[in-house]
């Protein structure tokens, strides 16, 4: 039997993506004052989460096309906080004209492939039986400081940029190419190479990975932020040739659009993109 | 020809999962007294099933995202009882504002891989022809006391925990990796290893497996209960590397959310998570 | 080239499955007398088909979950009769509160693998060219009496039992496992073994197979009737290990529920399961 | 590199299939005179296309089940004519009660495998470079008279028969079985064998193939017409064992029903099948 | 490890496809003057983008069948401009009767396989380490003039033709046939051959490829324009036999229809195709 080791992860914000269809026609037909008040209340609610803070952060985006026009991205300390945000938003007057079309539930996650691999190899060399009490204790002790070091990146803020992209992904478990049947050292190399492709776009594309195993239908969610949309296209195109992707990557729907700063929401609901 | 043996199962509660979209806007717009009365009646109905009892048990959850916000989990002695609950719920006034978005029909099930394998091997050694009258009688006699021993676990109660996860699953019948073409002793080892991964999360994640072959679109349903959602993610992540999963597991949609104690339902329908 | 022989089939009733969503809330809100009258008319219509007769038979079931609550199963002499039933049902007052959610169109079918194989082998030994005039004539003459013998089973009645299961299925045409590329003698053995699994449940589960090639999206429909739902689960579970299924079976949605005798329909539409 | 030759095709009528859900309840509730007038106008419109003519032909069918009850099949000289028919139908009063559920866009097509293969082989023997000017000219000259001969069959009329079946199909491009990677002579043999299966049903089932590459989601549409529905089932079942299908065929949804002669449309919309 | 090089691309217009269901019945029932005014305003809005200009271009099409009747194709300098067009269209009175059914988001793209391959090979010969600072600088310097040369084709105008076809596509990452695991020189040959098939239709079919990696669910969108719809069918049919397609191509839905010049929009909304 050949069961493989999972990499340790460092986890941060509970994340909720909400994609809404907007009932433009009813909003445009509404008396201006009435609509402005609805948008004002909505904006005020979100404004509490405008700046990154211990209570989390929220940001708005316009998604192009038919899959849902308004997107809200919520970072919260816990999933209970996400649920509370969901309910509170649904009580606002504007919610009557926003129909939830899609969503994604995940946790900001940093994969610790390299460190996990080294700790596991060290334990193996010492001959400690995997998952024995001794193994588990030493494994956790050795990884704890590394996790601590990643805390800030796990509780990151939402990057500011003109364009935005979201997609969920899986690692394939195909009959030939099965990510979960590969040994951790091989996967660690794949991930390192994959990370190097990403680093070529440093300063151009900011990326937040969140884990969603057990939380949503795919294994990870990817959020990309860039001022130039061609950088997003190029990054994903180049990554598609990485072994980690060409052999093992599977993708869901892609959502793409523009940032919607809160101060632009009144304009947005009047038909003007910032 | 190489037809393989099915493991015996011990079966308990008939189970119905119901996922409802909530019409928040109409509920919030309703006179407070009217809404409270609707929720009160709904809560009273469910309260009869609050505590585990011979007539079964029901629990409520809030599911994050767009797939359905309110989930009810019903354990009942028979499927007729499940159907009766379905109909009774649909007569309640609140049902007008709950739209059934998804469901799952199954039976709490414990797979008896180890015991089945031993009984079958013993019969084989004695040279009894599989499925002959003698074989069937001895098979059932030997398994009966083991099934009896599992009765309590088959008629288990719904665990209390802050977070909740549900997903359905299949064992793959791929052209290379075909669970149902593997001999029972090999499958028994896979399942034992898989169970050992689960045991590493004892005390952190409680798990109820229910069988749905013939009852719903997937072969099994998995309900997980935990106070820390990261334990749910970690458990499923580690299990994904088990051979039983990496080679043979296939998954449906994942539903994730928070427990909704009945005493919190009034708050919930007023927009407050417990 | 390796084109294979299709087994002969004996065919009987034209079959229509109808799955309806029920608008419970409107029905419950309706004045009692009005609703009772609607249900009464509906019941009277179906009652004409309550008993098996030359004009066919119809039966009602409650399906658990969200896929459609009320199911009608119609056996008719011809598909035109099925169409007539469809239209007549849609004129009834109750139809306003029943929304067709799914359906299945098929013909009760008995696969004659063993007999076909023997006739084909006999013709081969005689050196008759397949599908030549001589071959076709002798093939039909030899199979005719066997088909005649199966007539009663093709025009069977709908079994009475407490629980009910329906699912459609295909035989796979995979790149490795391709049912339609296997020679008829090999398929005949698979089907015989598969039938033997079924026979182990004689008296517990009654089964009606209907063919739907050219009529609906899957190749066959399977209707199961049992007093104990665990027998349905066990039968399908054991069959999944048959080579006929483990290598070649593909399944659609599963519908499961309880029988709804006509005399119980008034209770049903008042929220009470028989 | 191994790029293969496409077979030449002879093309005829532009074809549009329209599948409509019928709002029976509103139609039945309507004053009789009003409904009859709506149906009368609808029938008159279609009646212009009742007989095969240079302007095309249209026919109506009742489809069994939930996928759409009324189907219209339009043959027209051009796709612009199809579009015009679409728009004109949507202006009719009855259209308010017909909801377009599905459609199929294609061109009556005869595959010229045998002739193409012979022309290509002749050009190869002469050593003419494929797709060179010389090659293209000779290829077209040699095929032109054959195409001309097929013209009548390309502008065929809609067969009259009691039962009707439609399904779309693809040729697979699998990793082992890839129709488009096979040389044209091999494909020509497959198609000839496939045609021979069809010929066994001459006089029983009439078949019209239409090509939809570039026009709709599948590569071909198949329309079958027969007085005995069991002939449709048997034809498709026997064809499924042809190598052309068992190895390379992929199918979409199947639509099956009964012919609806125009003179029966009033009866139909009153709930009576002809 | 065998990670491969992505080809460089030259990118132009931001592209938005919008597919709308038209509420014909309500439009036809509307007072003529009212409808004409709605269409007039809609036409005026689009007319600003009738001619190719630095601000972009828009064109209208009628799509056959049920997937959405009215299609708008927008070329804009930036995606922000696309978003602005989306919002502005939704404020128009006619938008009330147009329901967005599908969409596609992409960028006009020319793949530079041949040039990229040559630059990479030159750098390899010089022994420059891929993606090193030196490599990246030289790579970009050498490709820049070629990109500049392609600018006009990237900011092309929308071709005028009677018929129109759109479909999205992927390159497969199968377990045997994996486009993204093939070396760039092999892919360059495939693409050259594929281009040669296209060139056989020069003057008959005009084609615009747009890249959508990161922007929409497929990797590329293909727009075809032709006066003879059979040329569209034939082009795609012949291409299906190219190795680039037979081994590696995967396709989404196909949309097909007729051009709708702005001056014909009043006729169109009165039920007349130009």
């Amino acid at each position: 039997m050949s069961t493989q080791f999972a990499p340790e992860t460092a986890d941060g914000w509970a994340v909720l993506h909400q994609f809404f269809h907007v009932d433009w026609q009813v909003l445009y037909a509404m008396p201006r004052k009435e609509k402005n008040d609805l948008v004002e209340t909505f904006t005020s609610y979100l404004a509490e989460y405008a700046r990154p803070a211990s209570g989390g952060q929220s940001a708005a985006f316009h998604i192009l096309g038919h899959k849902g026009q308004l997107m809200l991205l919520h970072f919260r300390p816990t999933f209970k906080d996400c649920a509370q945000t969901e309910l509170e938003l649904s009580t606002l007057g504007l919610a009557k004209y926003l129909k939830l079309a899609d969503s994604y539930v995940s946790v900001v996650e940093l994969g610790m492939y390299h460190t996990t691999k080294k700790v596991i190899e060290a334990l193996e060399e010492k001959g400690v039986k995997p998952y024995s009490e001794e193994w588990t204790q030493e494994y956790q002790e050795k990884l704890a400081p590394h996790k601590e070091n990643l805390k800030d990146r796990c509780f990151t803020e939402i990057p500011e940029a003109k364009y935005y992209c979201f997609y969920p992904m899986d690692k394939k478990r195909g009959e030939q190419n099965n990510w979960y049947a590969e040994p951790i050292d091989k996967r660690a190399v794949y991930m390192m190479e994959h990370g190097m492709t990403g680093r070529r776009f440093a300063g151009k594309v900011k990326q937040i990975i969140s884990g969603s195993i057990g939380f949503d239908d795919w294994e990870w969610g990817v959020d990309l932020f860039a001022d130039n949309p061609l950088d997003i296209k190029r990054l994903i195109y180049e990554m598609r040739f990485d072994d980690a992707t060409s052999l093992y990557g599977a993708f869901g729907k892609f959502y793409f659009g523009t940032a919607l700063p809160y101060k632009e929401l009144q304009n947005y609901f009047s038909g003007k993109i910032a």
Side-chain angles (χ1 to χ4, degrees), chain A residues 5-272:
Chain A
F5 289 102
E8 194 59 34
T9 60
D11 302 280
W13 294 118
V15 184
L16 176 66
H17 291 72
Q18 294 182 301
F19 301 87
F20 297 98
H21 287 302
V22 181
D23 193 343
W24 298 112
Q25 283 289 317
V26 180
L27 284 170
Y28 293 146
M30 204 178 274
R32 194 174 178 166
K33 171 80 173 71
E34 191 183 331
K35 190 193 65 184
N36 289 358
D37 287 354
L38 290 177
V39 176
E40 175 60 31
T41 309
F42 184 74
T43 308
S44 302
Y45 178 79
L46 290 174
E48 290 181 44
Y49 296 99
R51 310 290 336 141
S54 60
Q57 191 184 4
S58 291
F61 302 88
H62 172 71
I63 300 297
L64 281 156
H66 75 294
K67 293 178 213 150
Q69 291 79 52
L70 178 69
M71 197 204 97
L72 298 179
L73 173 60
H74 308 290
F75 284 4
R76 291 291 180 278
T78 71
F79 279 121
K80 221 169 191 174
D81 298 318
C82 287
Q84 187 56 48
T85 292
E86 257 188 327
L87 289 196
E88 285 171 7
L89 278 167
S90 72
T91 67
L92 302 182
L94 193 69
K96 199 172 171 180
Y97 312 101
L98 303 177
K99 208 192 139 205
L100 197 57
D102 203 353
S103 63
Y104 206 75
V105 180
S106 53
V107 157
V108 174
E109 178 187 301
L110 296 168
M112 300 168 69
Y113 257 105
H114 185 66
T115 326
T116 311
K117 185 198 133 202
K118 277 170 71 177
V119 170
I120 282 167
E121 283 174 354
L123 284 160
E124 200 174 27
E125 266 170 51
K126 283 176 63 177
V128 188
K129 192 172 174 273
Y131 303 115
S132 63
E133 214 169 311
E134 184 189 345
W135 187 94
T136 303
Q137 196 182 328
E138 199 165 330
Y139 172 89
Q140 283 170 352
E141 272 169 18
K142 289 219 168 127
L143 282 163
H146 296 275
K147 282 178 116 164
E148 190 60 32
N149 287 343
L150 297 169
K151 205 141 207 183
D152 277 3
R153 287 175 57 203
C154 290
F155 289 95
T156 181
E157 60 184 85
I158 299 174
E160 280 183 37
K162 287 184 193 159
Y163 288 99
Y164 170 76
C165 169
F166 171 76
Y167 61 93
M169 59 167 291
D170 274 354
K171 287 299 186 193
K172 282 187 191 168
R173 290 179 293 117
E175 300 208 315
Q176 315 294 332
N177 301 325
N178 185 335
W179 179 259
Y180 292 92
E182 300 290 353
I184 193 168
D185 52 343
K186 201 169 162 196
R187 279 177 281 127
V189 174
Y190 283 137
M191 292 310 288
M192 189 201 59
E193 291 179 339
H194 197 48
M196 277 163 57
T197 303
R199 238 168 298 156
R200 297 204 294 266
F201 290 80
K204 292 182 186 167
V205 182
K206 274 175 198 140
Q207 170 180 294
I208 296 173
I209 304 294
S210 52
S212 43
I213 291 179
F215 303 144
D216 216 317
D217 301 350
W218 296 79
E219 297 171 344
W220 288 276
V222 179
D223 291 278
L224 302 177
F225 304 82
D227 283 329
N228 183 348
L230 294 178
D231 287 330
I232 288 175
K233 175 155 90 79
R234 188 72 196 171
L235 166 62
I236 304 178
Y237 198 13
E238 294 197 3
M239 280 188 162
R240 202 142 295 186
F241 289 91
D242 292 343
D243 287 343
T245 304
S246 72
L247 302 177
Y248 302 106
F251 303 103
K253 288 186 187 170
F254 282 76
Y255 288 92
F256 171 77
T258 64
L260 262 187
Y262 294 147
K263 64 178 166 38
E264 296 292 338
L265 281 168
Q266 284 288 5
N267 281 331
Y268 180 64
F269 284 103
S270 305
K272 284 201 190 63

